[in-house]
C-alpha cells in the first residue's frame, strides 16, 4: 500500500489501526479500511494524490472482499466485539486515579499500551458507524476510551518526556464529549 497522502490525514487513524490489526482480524482490518475509504471519498480537501490513493485502496478492498468469503457474523459484529474486548482489557489495567511518574513501573511499561489500546478501541467503535448509529452504550464506551487515551497520553508525554503515544484524533461524526461517568464493565 502506498503511503497516505497528506490530504487524507483525517483517515490516518483508521488506516494505521487497520494495518496494526490485520494479523489479529482480517475482517476488522478490512472494515476499518472500508470506513477509511468512505470517509476519504467524502473529503473535499483531497487532492489528486489522495484520489489516486483511494482508487488503489478501493481496488485492494474489492479483491480482499472476495478472498474473505461470506461473513461469519452480521456486519459490524466482529468489529464491535474486538473494540469492546480491547477497551475492557485496557480498562482493567488502567489506573485513572494514579499520576504516571518515571519511577512507577506501571507508568513506564503498562500505561503506554493502555493509552494505545483505548485509542484503538475508540477508532474501532467510530468505524462501526458504517453499519448504523452507535447504541448509547457503544457511544459511551467510545467517548470514555477516546477521552482517557488522550488524557493518559498527555500525562505520559509530560511526566516521562515521551513522544505522543496516540494521535490528536477526534472521532468523525460524533461529539467526543466525555460521559458523566465511565460505562459499567461488560458482563
Amino acid at each position: 500500500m502506498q503511503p497516505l497522502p497528506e490530504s487524507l490525514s483525517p483517515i490516518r487513524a483508521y488506516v494505521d489501526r487497520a494495518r496494526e490489526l490485520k494479523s489479529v482480524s482480517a475482517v476488522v482490518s478490512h472494515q476499518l479500511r472500508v470506513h477509511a475509504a468512505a470517509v476519504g471519498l467524502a473529503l473535499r480537501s483531497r487532492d489528486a494524490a489522495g484520489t489516486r490513493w483511494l482508487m488503489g485502496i478501493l481496488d485492494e478492498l474489492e479483491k480482499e472482499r472476495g478472498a474473505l468469503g461470506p461473513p461469519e457474523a452480521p456486519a459490524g459484529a466482529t468489529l464491535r466485539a474486538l473494540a469492546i474486548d480491547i477497551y475492557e482489557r485496557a480498562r482493567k489495567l488502567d489506573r485513572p486515579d494514579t499520576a504516571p511518574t518515571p519511577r512507577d513501573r506501571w507508568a513506564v511499561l503498562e500505561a503506554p499500551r493502555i493509552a494505545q489500546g483505548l485509542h484503538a478501541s475508540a477508532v474501532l467503535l467510530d468505524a462501526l458507524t458504517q453499519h448504523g448509529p452507535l447504541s448509547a452504550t457503544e457511544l459511551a464506551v467510545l467517548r470514555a476510551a477516546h477521552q482517557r487515551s488522550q488524557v493518559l497520553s498527555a500525562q505520559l508525554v509530560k511526566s516521562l518526556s515521551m513522544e505522543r503515544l496516540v494521535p490528536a484524533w477526534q472521532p468523525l461524526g460524533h461529539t467526543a464529549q466525555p460521559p458523566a461517568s465511565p460505562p459499567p464493565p461488560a458482563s
Side-chain angles (χ1 to χ4, degrees):
M1 182 187 302
Q2 294 291 326
L4 189 70
E6 189 61 35
S7 66
L8 296 177
S9 62
I11 66 171
R12 181 170 308 285
Y14 307 103
V15 174
D16 290 348
R17 297 308 71 78
R19 191 174 299 122
E20 290 170 1
L21 294 170
K22 188 163 182 118
S23 64
V24 175
S25 173
V27 170
V28 167
S29 176
H30 180 83
Q31 288 184 9
L32 280 168
R33 292 179 25 238
V34 166
H35 185 68
V39 171
L41 289 169
L43 289 174
R44 295 182 196 273
S45 62
R46 79 172 185 272
D47 56 11
T51 300
R52 281 191 302 278
W53 189 90
L54 287 167
M55 293 304 112
I57 197 171
L58 289 172
D59 288 341
E60 287 177 25
L61 289 168
E62 190 60 32
K63 291 175 190 169
E64 196 174 89
R65 186 173 63 137
L68 287 174
E72 295 178 12
T78 306
L79 188 59
R80 181 190 187 286
L82 184 58
I84 299 299
D85 180 57
I86 292 171
Y87 174 76
E88 289 298 332
R89 287 175 187 229
R91 204 170 112 169
K92 285 179 185 170
L93 296 173
D94 194 10
R95 295 183 188 168
D97 298 329
T98 301
T101 66
R103 290 181 283 238
D104 184 0
R105 179 177 162 81
W106 171 84
V108 174
L109 299 176
E110 297 295 324
R113 293 190 339 219
I114 292 165
Q116 291 167 335
L118 291 168
H119 169 71
S121 176
V123 170
L124 292 173
L125 285 167
D126 194 52
L128 188 60
T129 60
Q130 68 187 290
H131 301 292
L134 298 181
S135 69
T137 301
E138 292 163 343
L139 188 55
V141 170
L142 183 150
R143 289 174 175 165
H146 176 260
Q147 179 195 27
R148 180 62 181 148
S149 72
Q150 296 295 315
V151 167
L152 183 55
S153 179
Q155 288 175 329
L156 292 168
V157 166
K158 184 178 178 183
S159 67
L160 303 179
S161 301
M162 293 181 139
E163 293 210 12
R164 189 161 180 84
L165 296 168
V166 299
W169 167 83
Q170 289 292 323
L172 301 175
H174 301 292
T175 304
Q177 299 298 322
S181 61
S187 310

